Amino acid sequence: YQSSVVLSSSACLPPNGIIANGKSTSNIYKDFTFLSRADWQANTWRNDICSCNATVTDKMLAMDKPYVITIHHTSIPRQSTSLSDSISKLQQIQHYHQYNHSWCDIAYHFLVDSAGHIFQGRTFWDDNETLVDPLNVTRTWNIPRLVQGSHSLNANTNNIGIAVIGCYDNNPENCPGGADAIERYDATYTRLVQLISWICGYYDIS
């Protein structure tokens, strides 16, 4: 789950009026919606792991103002084109991260599928899923306040992680069944661009 490309702030596009997808969503920005953790029935943050609920911990860090976006593809599971399939795959990814890696939560902040759905990944600080005291109450940047991810080795600070569900590497060693299809302006491409545009505008990444 670590194949990725990093975008610096210079790759950001201006916000472009994203249209709601008509599903049950959390709406935190005018004309922008995504499916919440409740929508895909996510497990909660792993408070049963001591390092995930200590008051002072590098496992539960409120992110400072983000300035880097890293785009991953999940490799396994493969591409999905229905909401029910994507929900199943998100649950699979979260379980793998929490119980195979013993991470506190799914590694990514947002995920995109091939049907044009955008999902919240890792819990937001303000979701109150953790037992950690709210150390960042004086922060002035926008809600949702993000929790530091675990998607980029030694490079998670101020870094928003986005994962596209599917395998998009032409190297057969990485995608033994062949790379999934992605075309400019298809649902995956369009929603990914829209998500990046929204993140750049919402968190003032310039």
Side-chain angles (χ1 to χ4, degrees), residues 16 118 183-195:
N16 59 357
I118 297 173
E183 300 290 341
R184 192 174 187 184
Y185 305 125
D186 69 8
T188 309
Y189 177 96
T190 299
R191 293 299 270 167
L192 182 60
V193 169
Q194 289 174 334
L195 175 58

Side-chain angles (χ1 to χ4, degrees), residues 18-25 32-36 39-40 79-90 109-121 162-166 168 186-195:
I18 298 169
I19 304 302
N21 60 21
K23 302 295 183 181
S24 174
T25 58
F32 180 83
T33 59
F34 56 83
L35 288 116
S36 71
D39 289 319
W40 60 272
Q79 189 178 61
S80 62
T81 56
S82 72
L83 179 59
S84 59
D85 188 31
S86 294
I87 287 174
S88 176
K89 288 176 177 176
L90 259 70
H109 296 100
F110 297 97
L111 297 96
V112 180
D113 72 4
S114 300
H117 301 109
I118 297 173
F119 301 87
Q120 176 190 355
I162 301 171
V164 180
I165 299 173
Y168 299 96
D186 69 8
T188 309
Y189 177 96
T190 299
R191 293 299 270 167
L192 182 60
V193 169
Q194 289 174 334
L195 175 58

Side-chain angles (χ1 to χ4, degrees), residues 62-89:
M63 189 187 290
D64 287 324
K65 184 181 182 300
Y67 59 82
V68 176
I69 301 169
T70 302
I71 302 171
H72 305 262
H73 68 133
T74 59
S75 299
I76 301 171
R78 301 297 299 269
Q79 189 178 61
S80 62
T81 56
S82 72
L83 179 59
S84 59
D85 188 31
S86 294
I87 287 174
S88 176
K89 288 176 177 176

Side-chain angles (χ1 to χ4, degrees), residues 1-8 68-76 107-108 110 150-156 159-170 174-175 192 196:
Y1 301 104
Q2 293 301 319
S3 299
S4 61
V5 59
V6 177
L7 298 182
S8 67
V68 176
I69 301 169
T70 302
I71 302 171
H72 305 262
H73 68 133
T74 59
S75 299
I76 301 171
Y108 315 113
F110 297 97
S150 52
H151 55 93
S152 295
L153 183 63
N154 300 323
N156 288 298
N159 185 348
I160 296 178
I162 301 171
V164 180
I165 299 173
C167 200
Y168 299 96
D169 193 328
N170 289 324
N174 297 325
C175 295
L192 182 60
I196 295 167

Side-chain angles (χ1 to χ4, degrees), residues 133-167:
D133 290 336
L135 305 178
N136 65 342
V137 291
T138 60
R139 295 180 188 273
T140 58
W141 53 277
N142 292 335
I143 294 174
R145 289 175 285 192
L146 300 177
V147 172
Q148 182 168 295
S150 52
H151 55 93
S152 295
L153 183 63
N154 300 323
N156 288 298
T157 303
N158 302 327
N159 185 348
I160 296 178
I162 301 171
V164 180
I165 299 173
C167 200

